[in-house]
Amino acid sequence: MIELLAQTCLNAVYAASYISLVAVGLVLIFGVMGVINFAHGELFMAGAYAVVTFYADLHLPFLVAVALGLVFVGCLGLLMERALFRPLRDNPLGGLVASIGFLMILQALAVLGYGVRMEHIPPVTQEVIVFSDKVRLPLSRLFVIIAAVVLLGALWYFLKRTKFGWALRASAQDPEAAELQGISINQTARIAMFIGAGLAGIAGALTAPLVSVNPHMGHSVIVTAFIVIIVGGVGSLEGAVLASVVYAVVHTFVTTFYDGVIADIVGLSLMLLVLIVKPTGLFGSADRA
Amino acid sequence: MLLELKGVSAAYGKITAIRDISMTVDQGQIVTIIGGNGAGKTTTLRAMSGMLPVTAGEITFEGKRIDGLPASKVVAHGIAHVPEGRRIFPDMTVEENLRTGAFLRKDMDAIATDLATVYRKFPRLQERRGQRAQTLSGGEQQMLAIGRALMSKPRLLLMDEPSMGLAPVIVDEIAEIIREINQQQGLAVVLVEQNAELALELADHAYVLETGNCNLNGPASELHENDHVRAAYLGI
Ligand SMILES: Nc1ncnc2c1ncn2[C@@H]1O[C@H](COP(=O)(O)OP(=O)(O)OP(=O)(O)O)[C@@H](O)[C@H]1O
Ligand SMILES: [Mg+2]
């Protein structure tokens, strides 16, 4: 029993890792751009297909493929900023609607390019860290955990300790006042979109060998990310990370001890409960990016 | 001449808020714009700092045209704007707010010196340097907004109702600070105020705005004795 608990905890840490990468990017984009990016799940999907292309098809080293995925999806973010969100900045629902359109385009492109089948990606490593007979952590999952800790740590450092990080937070909190300090909102929007999209892309790229890659895989990712950012408090990065952990623990344990469908229901109920008890989320709206 | 507005108009959508405004600010001067609610004082400052495009006229600063530039470029020319309602960054610390004021500057050593100067001027900000700005009192927030503007090393400071919502003691303190900044650093100031008594006392020159038009201006001491100004703005 202890072993099963330990194993489930490891699984939860892994799930929390990639969920928080996706959710933090979504919150960052919302904070700086004021846009709920519905295409965020498809950016995750695009990262996974980068690994299909560069690693499985072109046989580049896995880490190179992941890095290319990060850059490629980051650039997709830049494209969205320039082509969709900037022209629609004064339209409160414009960005959201445009991002739904972009989601469909990305899905259609994935179907066109790769078909609707599930992609087979050769495992990156078969190595497993064996803690005991029943407690094991595949190395490829450890990669995801390490990447999440390093990337989120780097993002925290960037936002709290660097001038451009302050600029990003300033334009999230008061875009006009930020402009008065010489901060161009076009520039902060580009930075936020590159980072936000890039984080989704790298999460998709790192988990590609561990999940089933298909053109519709973004759907469950975005639903999870929405639950997480609502539970954490829309606009709070710390909240998104914390809520990712809470959600991953609950979801993983329910999946292990009951089944996946019940786990999804429990996840959604958790969100409703938070909305009823504390509508601003665990970290409230005071704690913005 | 530091700043000159020639026949400036500005609008929100189709509604013209200020019409054909001309004014000048000289080196080292304090110029005030007084007027009632909705007269167009904030709009005039927003036009100066590039937050609102002008629909007619020209704005020159140190001989260079600055109308048409976005706000983020106007700061680089040496104009800092302390906006109405302070607009500090609520979830950033006092020090992060101040350093963000120096966003465009590259001279790290001089930034450190200027930060020390701001802290000397506002010891209460130094005590609270790691505190989130939204936890400051109204007076402290106003000081932070002024300090943030000073961190850009401006040659002209635009201030929109710095006395708004503050207790009389704090208003006096802020007034003293404005005078000090002007005299010690030779910084020119455009001061927008509802508190006309205070504004006319501080300023060298004054402009009176009424429903978007400016038909009256003169040395502040003269306007203080003007019958219309006394009746309409000084309540005498
Ligand atoms: N964002 C806006 N959209 C539309 N109209 C506006 C906007 N801001 C101001 N106005 C209008 O422009 C005119 C001038 O407003 P402004 O804010 O410049 O006045 P003010 O002199 O600063 O007043 P107050 O002393 O109340 O701050 C007013 O008629 C106001 O209704
Ligand atoms: Mg005003």
Side-chain angles (χ1 to χ4, degrees):
Chain A
M1 189 61 192
I2 294 285
E3 291 194 315
L4 183 59
L5 280 179
Q7 181 62 51
T8 311
C9 282
L10 281 180
N11 294 347
V13 171
Y14 160 71
S17 299
Y18 77 85
I19 293 171
S20 57
L21 285 176
V22 176
V24 160
L26 196 59
V27 170
L28 191 69
I29 291 172
F30 176 73
V32 176
M33 319 274 304
V35 169
I36 298 188
N37 179 25
F38 267 81
H40 214 66
E42 278 57 41
L43 294 176
F44 178 90
M45 179 268 288
Y49 274 101
V51 163
V52 170
T53 309
F54 296 119
Y55 171 69
D57 294 350
L58 298 176
H59 308 292
L60 291 175
F62 180 66
L63 284 182
V64 173
V66 169
L68 286 171
L70 168 77
V71 173
F72 169 65
V73 180
C75 291
L76 280 181
L78 294 181
L79 175 73
M80 293 176 76
E81 191 279 323
R82 188 65 195 86
L84 306 178
F85 298 154
R86 199 186 301 182
L88 293 168
R89 191 177 285 154
D90 298 326
N91 182 334
L93 285 179
L96 182 149
V97 174
S99 76
I100 295 175
F102 196 71
L103 165 177
M104 292 173 181
I105 293 173
L106 285 180
Q107 274 186 0
L109 287 177
V111 171
L112 270 179
Y114 300 88
V116 279
R117 67 175 195 279
M118 246 166 64
E119 297 295 328
H120 174 72
I121 298 176
V124 179
T125 165
Q126 305 277 30
E127 276 193 56
V128 173
I129 303 170
V130 180
F131 294 101
S132 78
D133 199 23
K134 287 196 189 104
V135 185
R136 295 152 177 266
L137 180 64
L139 209 55
S140 46
R141 288 189 165 210
L142 182 63
F143 285 161
V144 179
I145 297 168
I146 291 172
V149 171
V150 169
L151 288 170
L152 294 178
L155 180 64
W156 183 88
Y157 183 86
F158 170 72
L159 289 173
K160 301 276 171 170
R161 292 280 181 274
T162 73
K163 182 167 131 168
F164 280 94
W166 296 330
L168 224 63
R169 286 162 63 211
S171 50
Q173 289 168 31
D174 190 333
E176 260 192 3
E179 284 238 53
L180 286 179
Q181 315 311 315
I183 297 163
S184 142
I185 45 176
N186 287 339
Q187 192 183 14
T188 51
R190 277 195 297 271
I191 298 175
M193 280 306 294
F194 186 86
I195 297 178
L199 288 178
I202 202 166
L206 284 168
T207 52
L210 300 165
V211 298
S212 72
V213 175
N214 65 72
H216 301 289
M217 66 191 290
H219 178 72
S220 65
V221 174
I222 192 88
V223 171
T224 305
F226 279 156
I227 294 174
V228 161
I229 67 174
I230 288 169
V231 169
V234 180
S236 161
L237 293 172
E238 292 93 339
V241 175
L242 185 84
S244 296
V245 175
V246 171
Y247 178 87
V249 168
V250 171
H251 194 271
T252 311
F253 270 84
V254 177
T255 304
T256 307
F257 292 98
Y258 297 93
D259 69 62
V261 176
I262 294 181
D264 287 345
I265 296 170
V266 171
L268 277 167
S269 314
L270 184 72
M271 175 183 81
L272 291 176
L273 185 73
V274 169
L275 278 179
I276 293 164
V277 178
K278 193 162 185 294
T280 52
L282 296 181
F283 268 61
S285 57
D287 259 276
R288 293 202 50 184
Chain B
M1 201 184 315
L2 193 63
L3 179 80
E4 180 172 26
L5 275 68
K6 268 193 275 184
V8 168
S9 301
Y12 296 98
K14 288 198 176 62
I15 303 159
T16 299
I18 52 170
R19 226 168 278 102
D20 196 22
I21 304 285
S22 295
M23 46 178 79
T24 59
V25 181
D26 286 332
Q27 213 92 44
Q29 253 190 341
I30 300 184
V31 168
T32 185
I33 304 174
I34 56 177
N37 286 114
K41 306 182 297 296
T42 297
T43 307
T44 308
L45 284 198
R46 287 167 63 91
M48 289 175 182
S49 64
M51 281 165 83
L52 190 69
V54 304
T55 50
E58 288 182 9
I59 305 177
T60 49
F61 183 69
E62 297 178 332
K64 283 183 266 249
R65 280 285 289 271
I66 56 163
D67 54 286
L69 293 180
S72 57
K73 292 278 187 315
V74 173
V75 207
H77 280 78
I79 300 182
H81 186 161
V82 184
E84 188 172 8
R86 304 167 192 127
R87 308 287 288 270
I88 48 153
F89 304 114
D91 289 324
M92 290 168 65
T93 65
V94 167
E95 183 143 332
E96 286 169 347
N97 266 275
L98 291 173
R99 286 186 177 277
T100 302
F103 179 72
L104 291 176
R105 294 174 59 185
K106 306 243 160 9
D107 46 344
M108 299 308 281
D109 295 341
I111 292 175
T113 316
D114 289 350
L115 187 65
T117 310
V118 168
Y119 281 147
R120 213 170 318 114
K121 213 182 283 316
F122 305 110
R124 269 186 286 174
L125 294 185
Q126 180 157 32
E127 287 161 27
R128 293 162 174 73
R129 60 200 290 176
Q131 208 168 308
R132 280 194 342 191
Q134 68 177 4
T135 62
L136 299 182
S137 74
E140 289 159 358
Q141 291 190 9
Q142 188 62 57
M143 291 170 194
L144 180 57
I146 296 172
R148 181 179 67 179
L150 291 176
M151 286 303 292
S152 71
K153 215 172 188 173
R155 292 181 294 285
L156 174 66
L157 190 61
L158 312 178
M159 304 181 93
D160 199 340
E161 302 205 30
S163 75
M164 187 165 57
L166 301 182
V169 197
I170 311 290
V171 172
D172 290 345
E173 206 173 315
I174 299 275
E176 195 45 49
I177 285 158
I178 296 172
R179 192 175 285 138
E180 214 177 273
I181 291 168
N182 173 252
Q183 281 169 2
Q184 291 174 0
Q185 310 182 5
L187 188 60
V189 177
V190 177
L191 176 65
V192 158
E193 264 300 337
Q194 291 263 359
N195 185 341
E197 185 67 53
L198 173 80
L200 290 175
E201 189 188 311
L202 280 173
D204 302 301
H205 201 88
Y207 291 83
V208 180
L209 270 191
E210 279 163 354
T211 57
N213 297 292
C214 179
N215 298 320
L216 180 61
N217 79 83
S221 49
E222 275 176 31
L223 285 194
H224 193 267
E225 306 311 320
N226 179 292
D227 289 339
H228 173 64
V229 171
R230 290 177 82 83
Y233 303 108
L234 298 173
I236 302 171

